[in-house]
Amino acid sequence: MIGTWLSILPPVIAIVMVLTTKRVLLSLGAGILSAALLVASFAPVETLTQLGKALIVSFWADGELNTYNIFIMLFILMLGVITALVSLSGGSRAFAEWAVTRIRTRRSAKLLTMVLGIAIFVDDYFNALAVGQIARPITDRHKISRAKLAYFIDSTSAPVCVISPVSSWGAFLIGQLAIILATTATVNYSPLSAFLMMAPMNFYVIATLAMVFFFAWTNIDFFAMKDHEQRAQETGELFDPEKEIPGQLKDEFPEHSHGRVRDLVAPIVTLVAVTLAAMVVTGIRNGGEMNIWAIFENTDVPLSLVIGGLAGTAIAIILYSTQFKVNQTASASLIGKAFISGVKAMMPAVLILILAWSLTHLIDILETGLFLSEVVGKSNIPVAFLPVVLFVLAGLMAFSTGTSWGSFGILLPIAGTIMVNAAPELLLPALSAVLAGAVFGDHCSPISDTTILSSTGAGSNHMDHVSTQLPYALMAAGIATAGYVVLGLTGSIWIGLVAVIIILAALFTFWNVRNSQKAVGIATK
């Protein structure tokens, strides 16, 4: 059953269930159970063994502690604690009141979120959680739904990281390109120059970022997102209070009305600054070089996040303790309550991550991604259509497995081998199509860790984020698909890029005109 068509059943079961039932943990559990049954060939005892291994893989793997996943979970929990402490001190209220005097419109609040998402490009996990903490008080004050905030976060984090050489993604991908380019003498550019040349070929990223700017600038929304935005503006409800919201504090704190802006700004700035510094230090320590590319290639992102989280938490505690010196016993009690509340608030996100990682572990054993890639490798597809086929395949793989990096690792070498032998002139467009498709599939997948962390950072219900972002991601993917078809048929990167720009311009014009007509129709009634 390993490496066969049956290997795609577990992710399909999980994804179909999560889209139909909206119950993420139950759906992931069903996917894990079906995967364990396939791995064990339906033997009862072996199935239980595989289930146990899958559930502990987030904590223990390859005979040692899985520090990567453990540190990610610890950082999420610390972020919940920081949020609770900032709320307790009145920092969130003070920052929102300060920001509303300077960021006076919904458009400005949305554009600020987009700019923050692009500016914090060093890592997608870091981006998703940090941008959410900074932007949420501002978007809340301007009645922007949490689902819209999650869309802005998710649609700027991975798309920017995948084209930025100075990021954890860029370092990883440059390393992958070095391996691929070393196997052929038909190209004469370095891995770094190849990576930079691939940026304008990533049509999905271009379409996604253009759409993010359009939806930030206008008040136009579609499908489920429109319902969330209308509810937020008309009722002030930024999310459905009956749904599970990661990061949403359930305990009522005696929030102080005399909180200060620095009570929020200082912990977040400390978190960002210390995390970045730790990334540099760990990169130098692991790589042994002062070269910026080597630093980001060897940096330890999870450890850096934990160090930054600890520093941010410490500053939040110090600020609260120095602010309220009257009753130190009561202060300590409230800080303890904030810790408990913050951890509770983030536990849904942590549980979803654990199950998503468990499913990914079993899918990896089943070789689902390898099966999908072999389907293309064995087919006789015209060379001109290989970039678009690789884009679609990478999207399906990332959607099914919930990991863009896993899709990169499997498909990039395969795409490189195919293109070097079939059409070397289309090597970079094909590799870029793989990157674009993997990010697209990652955006759509409810079992993706970046999707989970984006909803966590925004304080949005996870399935609300998935259902509202999906139509937008599909539209961007449709535009990218057209671009890759044109690129393949013409052999010109720039004609393909122009096609993408023309389609985007036509869509934006059409949406604006239709929105104006609706506004006129409402005004005349």
Side-chain angles (χ1 to χ4, degrees):
M1 298 181 188
I2 293 175
T4 68
W5 68 270
L6 289 171
S7 65
I8 67 173
L9 287 179
V12 168
I13 290 171
I15 291 166
V16 170
M17 278 192 64
V18 81
L19 293 175
T20 53
T21 67
K22 312 297 183 185
R23 299 177 67 179
V24 182
L25 295 177
L26 175 65
S27 304
L28 288 172
I32 292 168
L33 178 60
S34 61
L37 285 167
L38 290 175
V39 170
S41 299
F42 294 93
V45 176
E46 181 61 20
T47 298
L48 292 175
T49 301
Q50 291 298 331
L51 279 173
K53 289 180 179 179
L55 291 174
I56 67 170
V57 75
S58 297
F59 307 93
W60 187 266
D62 300 323
E64 59 184 7
L65 284 175
N66 188 342
T67 54
Y68 190 99
N69 288 358
I70 291 172
F71 286 161
I72 292 293
M73 289 185 282
L74 285 175
F75 178 72
I76 292 172
L77 294 176
M78 282 190 285
L79 208 60
V81 172
I82 291 173
T83 301
L85 289 167
V86 167
S87 175
L88 176 65
S89 67
S92 297
R93 175 188 294 177
F95 182 74
E97 290 172 352
W98 171 85
V100 80
T101 62
R102 291 158 178 80
I103 301 170
R104 298 186 176 127
T105 64
R106 297 182 83 250
R107 174 183 292 172
S108 299
K110 291 185 288 185
L111 288 173
L112 174 65
T113 305
M114 185 196 77
V115 170
L116 287 171
I118 293 173
I120 304 177
F121 53 77
V122 292
D123 183 73
D124 59 325
Y125 289 177
F126 181 38
N127 180 305
L129 297 169
V131 173
Q133 291 296 299
I134 298 169
R136 196 192 306 174
I138 302 170
T139 55
D140 282 0
R141 182 57 65 99
H142 287 281
K143 296 183 179 180
I144 296 168
S145 68
R146 295 287 179 81
K148 190 67 170 285
L149 175 59
Y151 164 67
F152 286 143
I153 292 172
D154 205 358
S155 293
T156 53
S157 57
V160 172
C161 288
V162 82
I163 60 173
S164 171
V166 187
S167 69
S168 55
W169 286 52
F172 169 76
L173 292 171
I174 290 169
Q176 292 288 302
L177 289 175
I179 297 171
I180 294 169
L181 297 178
T183 62
T184 177
T186 57
V187 293
N188 57 1
Y189 26 72
S190 69
L192 175 59
S193 62
F195 182 82
L196 295 174
M197 290 166 64
M198 287 164 60
M201 308 176 200
N202 197 319
F203 297 156
Y204 178 76
V205 165
I206 292 168
T208 296
L209 293 178
M211 288 175 61
V212 167
F213 177 79
F214 177 81
F215 291 121
W217 185 264
T218 67
N219 287 319
I220 297 173
D221 289 296
F222 302 108
F223 307 108
M225 186 73 82
K226 186 175 183 178
D227 296 334
H228 280 265
E229 284 292 273
Q230 284 182 340
R231 182 180 63 192
Q233 293 179 60
E234 293 171 4
T235 69
E237 288 187 353
L238 307 176
F239 52 85
D240 188 341
E242 296 182 1
K243 294 181 179 179
E244 190 71 65
I245 311 294
Q248 187 66 27
L249 302 175
K250 294 180 174 61
D251 295 334
E252 290 296 328
F253 290 119
E255 186 173 310
H256 295 278
S257 59
H258 52 280
R260 301 156 298 183
V261 172
R262 71 178 186 183
D263 293 329
L264 179 140
V265 173
I268 300 302
V269 169
T270 300
L271 182 150
V272 172
V274 173
T275 299
L276 289 174
M279 289 176 69
V280 172
V281 171
T282 57
I284 295 172
R285 185 189 65 184
N286 295 335
E289 297 181 48
M290 293 297 291
N291 182 291
I292 189 168
W293 316 116
I295 288 172
F296 278 93
E297 182 179 1
N298 294 286
T299 189
D300 190 333
V301 174
L303 176 60
S304 301
L305 289 173
V306 168
I307 295 171
L310 287 170
T313 303
I315 292 297
I317 293 172
I318 291 169
L319 286 172
Y320 177 75
S321 300
T322 56
Q323 186 178 357
F324 306 104
K325 297 180 179 179
V326 178
N327 189 333
Q328 291 295 337
T329 303
S331 175
S333 174
L334 286 172
I335 289 174
K337 186 178 180 182
F339 265 82
I340 295 171
S341 182
V343 169
K344 284 182 178 178
M346 290 301 186
M347 279 308 297
V350 170
L351 290 174
I352 293 172
L353 266 181
I354 291 172
L355 293 186
W357 284 328
S358 300
L359 181 58
T360 300
H361 166 75
L362 291 170
I363 288 172
D364 186 50
I365 294 175
L366 288 170
E367 298 182 354
T368 303
L370 190 59
F371 166 74
L372 291 172
S373 64
E374 287 177 349
V375 171
V376 171
K378 294 177 181 178
S379 58
N380 296 316
I381 300 169
V383 170
F385 292 103
L386 282 175
V388 71
V389 169
L390 287 167
F391 171 73
V392 173
L393 176 62
L396 288 172
M397 188 180 295
F399 181 74
S400 301
T401 60
T403 168
S404 51
W405 281 40
S407 303
F408 296 154
I410 293 172
L411 267 187
L412 283 175
I414 293 172
T417 302
I418 292 172
M419 299 313 296
V420 165
N421 294 319
E425 69 279 6
L426 291 178
L427 173 62
L428 294 189
L431 296 177
S432 190
V434 170
L435 303 188
V439 173
F440 159 58
D442 197 64
H443 271 169
C444 297
S445 178
I447 62 174
S448 161
D449 50 4
T450 50
T451 306
I452 295 165
L453 291 176
S454 294
S455 56
T456 301
S460 168
N461 174 264
H462 179 58
M463 283 313 300
D464 282 348
H465 170 44
V466 172
S467 62
T468 52
Q469 178 166 263
L470 184 60
Y472 292 41
L474 289 173
M475 283 189 280
I479 296 168
T481 299
Y484 286 120
V485 170
V486 172
L487 185 155
L489 293 175
T490 64
S492 171
I493 298 162
W494 302 111
I495 294 176
L497 180 59
V498 168
V500 169
I501 294 171
I502 290 173
I503 295 171
L504 283 168
L507 280 175
F508 294 164
T509 302
F510 171 73
W511 290 337
N512 266 323
V513 170
R514 191 178 67 169
N515 190 58
S516 299
Q517 290 173 344
K518 284 184 178 180
V520 170
I522 293 172
T524 55
K525 285 183 180 180

